[in-house]
Amino acid sequence: MAKTPPEERVFHGTPVSRGIAFGPVHVAARGFSAPDVYEITLDQIPLEKARLTAAFDETRRQLTELKDRIDAVADGDEGLVFEAHGMVLDDPGLQRKVEKAIDERKQNAEFCFYAVMQTFLEAMRRIVDPYLRERTIDIEDVSQRVLKNFQADMDAVVPDHQHLLVAYDITPSDTVSIDRSKLLGFVTEGGSVNSHTAILARALGIPAIVGLGNAVLETTTLAPAILDGYTGKFIVYPSGETTAYYQSLDAKKKEARQALEQLRDQESTTVDGHHITLSANIEFIHELGLVHENRAEGVGLFRTEFFLLEAGKAPSEKEQTEVYSELAKRTSPHISIIRTLDSGGDKLSAEPLTEPEPNPFLGWRGIRVSLDRPDFFKEQLRSILRASAHGKVGMMFPFISGVSEIRACQSLVRECMAALKEAGTPFDPDIQVGAMIEIPSAVLVADEIAKEVDFFSIGTNDLIQYTVAVDRINNRVAKLYRSSHPSVVRMIKMTTDAAKRAGIWTGVCGELAADLSMTPLLVGLGVDELSVGPRELAPVRKALLSLDFSECQKLAEKALTLATSAEIYDLSRSSAKSAYSDLIEDWE
Ligand code: PEP
Ligand code: MG
């Protein structure tokens, strides 16, 4: 008898990177198998212990979340199983045992954890009491979860064929290290739109969905699936009808995209002749091909942390100079703005920390790290300065909270300039130096900061999270992360006003710059530049070409009188729809 095919199943999540992908599923390793083992040196012991604590903490967080989720839908005590799992981790003896194993074995934390758990499980399996023996399953389950939370190399679990990856979570470094030719798209149970993982997925053009319920537990490797990165649907075992629908939608979207590309040689100027510079955000130099194809007017944000930290070993001053010089040459005559190291938060730390930070987004991040490590910082500053002899380069500093930080940066820039001059090394003495405005305190003293710099670049991803106190990577509070919050809109206006008073320009380089519903408002608030991912250049150009600046100004004035995010969003969205409804339809 012929087997009936499994029924189509649809999961819903938050779309974070557009595109449609078809392929077999690969669920990131689930088994309780031995992790890789490697030797560590004495000075790596604190780091391994910190990794252990972080994996335990993350597991506890997931278990609480699972329990809450189950409690919300079930009235019995089904959620208690996760509480029991959590209790395994809460046993202080367990962590101590693993730490002792790290001290004695001098091996990586996940392997020591694995070894301790194996011994424990062996002992439990020998227990005569069937109830207690049963509990080994719980211990296995929680152990498996902890092992996953060490976020071991995704390489180890990624298969050789093209696939749609389904995982609990993916870190920014997994996203960049995954083999793009094999990865058709990914879905995760955790994550959010403004995490760096999502930003990278968009930069790399990988369709992606986050916050997808129990996808890891409820899908199986090799099941056929369709990932809809527009609406956030993930369809496993799609019917013939669903597949046909998505094939035709995919063709339509690709056609619309090609039509947009026809506009690429047009200046990004509104119908009433107001020019907005349209530049690109990049994380890797190899994205420059796309930047040129889409005719960006330069690079508005080069996030150097991926290149500086992902390789495992910091590039030398010479290597940095080569990369920045190549950027300068290839984007010339336009400017390339190089942002100095912005480590911490959800990105890699600049160096192993002896203890994990309780609040990484409020911790040792951005310019704080650079100012604490002046030798490393000056290497980067000198490299940028040297590159400025090869093309137009600017530099900007992340995570500025006030004037003294910017003065400290400027003093180091002057020191580096003097040293290069002394050595007879050419550089541009008029290089533009800017401050990222992404912390509310910087907005409030923007008048003072403006006296010290040549431009502002508003980092809305962070500005929103710090203004409305919503962690940008926490899906649970994602609905409170509103770019149209009146306080955010006022912050942007305060920044552009302060810049205008000082005669300097303002750009926006956060993800908001590519939000087509908000383009009318941003233009009206007086920003001079929008810097977006290379794949977002074409739609944003089309939006700018369709808008009327004086109308946008009126809209912004009105928006500044409104009290809620929803009202402001609706106002801007309806103006966007009347100026370019086709674009919105094709693009979203
Ligand atoms: C921002 O915060 O908006 C920004 C552009 O920087 P990042 O996303 O790298 O923090
Ligand atoms: Mg930022």
Side-chain angles (χ1 to χ4, degrees):
M1 219 172 67
K3 249 170 96 184
T4 38
E7 264 193 38
E8 174 174 302
R9 173 111 199 256
V10 184
F11 295 87
H12 295 266
T14 310
V16 295
S17 180
R18 291 181 199 90
I20 292 165
F22 306 79
V25 165
H26 177 77
V27 181
R30 231 189 249 169
F32 180 33
S33 49
D36 282 347
V37 55
Y38 49 85
E39 309 294 327
I40 55 166
T41 55
L42 269 182
D43 56 345
Q44 285 171 323
I45 287 180
L47 171 68
E48 290 303 306
K49 290 185 181 171
R51 291 182 61 231
L52 176 71
T53 307
F56 272 30
D57 288 348
E58 173 58 16
T59 309
R60 280 193 195 95
R61 192 194 62 72
Q62 287 172 359
L63 291 170
T64 314
E65 206 176 335
L66 278 170
K67 181 173 181 305
D68 291 349
R69 247 198 258 162
I70 297 213
D71 285 350
V73 292
D75 23 306
D77 48 13
E78 289 84 338
L80 286 181
V81 61
F82 295 112
E83 205 165 285
H85 286 189
M87 276 153 66
V88 174
L89 299 180
D90 287 335
D91 173 7
L94 173 62
Q95 181 149 359
R96 268 204 309 275
K97 249 199 190 109
V98 182
E99 287 182 344
K100 192 157 165 259
I102 297 174
D103 286 329
E104 288 170 3
R105 289 166 168 261
K106 307 213 176 27
Q107 286 169 331
N108 52 318
E110 55 271 58
F111 189 80
C112 291
F113 171 75
Y114 169 77
V116 168
M117 293 319 280
Q118 278 300 0
T119 318
F120 185 50
L121 281 165
E122 278 308 308
M124 277 194 79
R125 284 186 194 110
R126 277 188 230 116
I127 294 177
V128 198
D129 181 337
Y131 173 78
L132 283 179
R133 217 171 36 222
E134 273 282 295
R135 301 279 63 77
T136 54
I137 296 171
D138 291 336
I139 311 266
E140 273 174 0
D141 198 310
V142 75
S143 304
Q144 171 187 318
R145 206 171 258 284
V146 171
L147 283 176
K148 269 197 182 73
N149 286 329
F150 275 101
Q151 295 175 327
D153 249 357
M154 296 299 291
D155 291 354
V157 296
V158 165
D160 237 17
H161 58 262
Q162 289 198 313
H163 62 279
L164 298 170
L165 181 66
V166 175
Y168 284 114
D169 216 341
I170 296 183
T171 63
S173 46
D174 294 329
T175 318
V176 295
S177 57
I178 279 168
D179 180 352
R180 178 71 191 91
S181 66
K182 304 279 173 359
L183 184 69
L184 299 166
F186 69 76
V187 305
T188 61
E189 290 193 7
S192 69
V193 182
N194 292 292
S195 65
H196 285 94
T197 302
I199 293 175
L200 287 166
R202 291 193 282 278
L204 300 168
I206 305 174
I209 307 175
V210 301
L212 209 85
N214 287 335
V216 172
L217 291 175
E218 294 177 11
T219 47
T220 36
T221 292
L222 292 181
I226 299 175
L227 188 165
D228 175 355
Y230 293 96
T231 63
K233 279 192 202 153
F234 184 58
I235 305 145
V236 185
Y237 291 110
S239 66
E241 205 181 321
T242 306
T243 307
Y245 166 76
Y246 273 106
Q247 279 163 343
S248 102
L249 183 67
D250 191 33
K252 197 173 141 240
K253 296 276 186 194
K254 284 188 175 135
E255 219 173 276
R257 164 110 235 160
Q258 273 161 7
L260 267 187
E261 278 161 14
Q262 307 298 316
L263 297 174
R264 66 185 180 187
D265 290 321
Q266 294 198 29
E267 290 257 324
S268 42
T269 302
T270 60
V271 285
D272 53 343
H274 180 74
H275 180 70
I276 303 275
T277 304
L278 182 56
S279 46
N281 291 350
I282 60 167
E283 283 76 30
F284 307 98
I285 203 90
H286 63 70
E287 289 177 84
L288 281 181
L290 261 185
V291 171
H292 290 307
E293 263 171 47
N294 289 290
R295 307 283 193 277
E297 252 181 285
V299 167
L301 165 65
F302 176 28
R303 288 185 166 96
T304 56
E305 48 278 6
F306 296 98
F307 142 73
L308 290 179
L309 303 178
E310 294 294 347
K313 181 177 161 286
S316 65
E317 190 166 337
K318 184 163 170 280
E319 284 162 329
Q320 284 197 59
T321 305
E322 277 165 12
V323 168
Y324 305 150
S325 302
E326 184 187 342
L327 176 69
K329 284 182 204 152
R330 287 178 59 190
T331 36
S332 182
H334 301 303
I335 191 166
S336 283
I337 296 172
I338 301 171
R339 177 175 76 182
T340 61
L341 179 72
D342 184 17
S343 63
D346 67 335
K347 288 180 273 201
L348 276 184
S349 176
E351 56 192 67
L353 297 171
T354 39
E355 290 195 356
E357 295 186 289
N359 294 300
F361 273 118
L362 299 180
W364 205 47
R365 237 203 112 173
I367 204 62
R368 298 172 184 180
V369 176
S370 297
L371 290 174
D372 282 349
R373 296 287 179 270
D375 291 338
F376 183 77
F377 190 28
K378 282 193 277 183
E379 280 182 14
Q380 185 169 31
L381 295 178
R382 286 191 298 266
S383 308
I384 300 173
L385 286 169
R386 285 199 191 89
S388 70
H390 300 281
K392 201 165 165 199
V393 164
M395 64 169 95
M396 68 180 176
F397 306 114
F399 213 53
I400 293 293
S401 64
V403 178
S404 43
E405 280 159 350
I406 204 81
R407 286 194 185 141
C409 293
Q410 289 284 29
S411 143
L412 291 171
V413 171
R414 281 193 297 274
E415 191 185 317
C416 292
M417 282 184 171
L420 291 179
K421 198 165 167 201
E422 171 98 18
T425 310
F427 65 91
D428 174 8
D430 298 319
I431 184 168
Q432 289 202 41
V433 176
M436 281 200 72
I437 302 294
E438 51 184 349
I439 304 183
S441 60
V443 176
L444 297 176
V445 293
D447 273 318
E448 299 303 324
I449 298 178
K451 292 179 193 154
E452 313 283 333
V453 294
D454 303 299
F455 66 92
F456 285 155
S457 187
I458 308 180
T460 47
N461 305 337
D462 280 315
L463 185 61
I464 299 166
Q465 84 162 339
Y466 296 121
T467 303
V468 293
V470 175
D471 181 342
R472 67 193 260 190
I473 61 171
N474 182 344
N475 219 14
R476 184 176 284 194
V477 286
K479 66 175 185 304
L480 298 173
Y481 185 97
R482 298 297 300 262
S483 57
S484 59
H485 194 288
S487 61
V488 174
V489 175
R490 286 169 207 199
M491 292 257 173
I492 297 174
K493 177 74 165 122
M494 285 166 78
T495 308
T496 55
D497 282 351
K500 286 201 173 85
R501 282 193 291 272
I504 64 172
W505 59 271
T506 306
V508 174
C509 63
E511 297 302 290
L512 176 60
D515 181 343
L516 299 177
S517 303
M518 295 289 279
T519 318
L521 180 58
L522 281 183
V523 169
L525 289 170
V527 306
D528 305 287
E529 179 225 29
L530 294 176
S531 192
V532 302
R535 290 168 209 274
E536 321 273 347
L537 288 161
V540 177
R541 171 175 289 112
K542 161 95 177 157
L544 291 172
L545 282 164
S546 318
L547 287 170
D548 182 299
F549 181 51
S550 60
E551 291 295 320
C552 292
Q553 282 180 308
K554 282 187 216 140
L555 176 140
E557 256 171 56
K558 173 93 203 293
L560 288 162
T561 66
L562 298 176
T564 66
S565 317
E567 286 167 279
I568 296 178
Y569 180 80
D570 291 347
L571 180 74
S572 187
R573 169 100 177 160
S574 72
S575 156
K577 273 192 163 163
S578 61
Y580 42 82
S581 60
D582 297 359
L583 173 67
I584 293 201
E585 199 168 298
D586 288 341
W587 195 247
E588 286 182 349

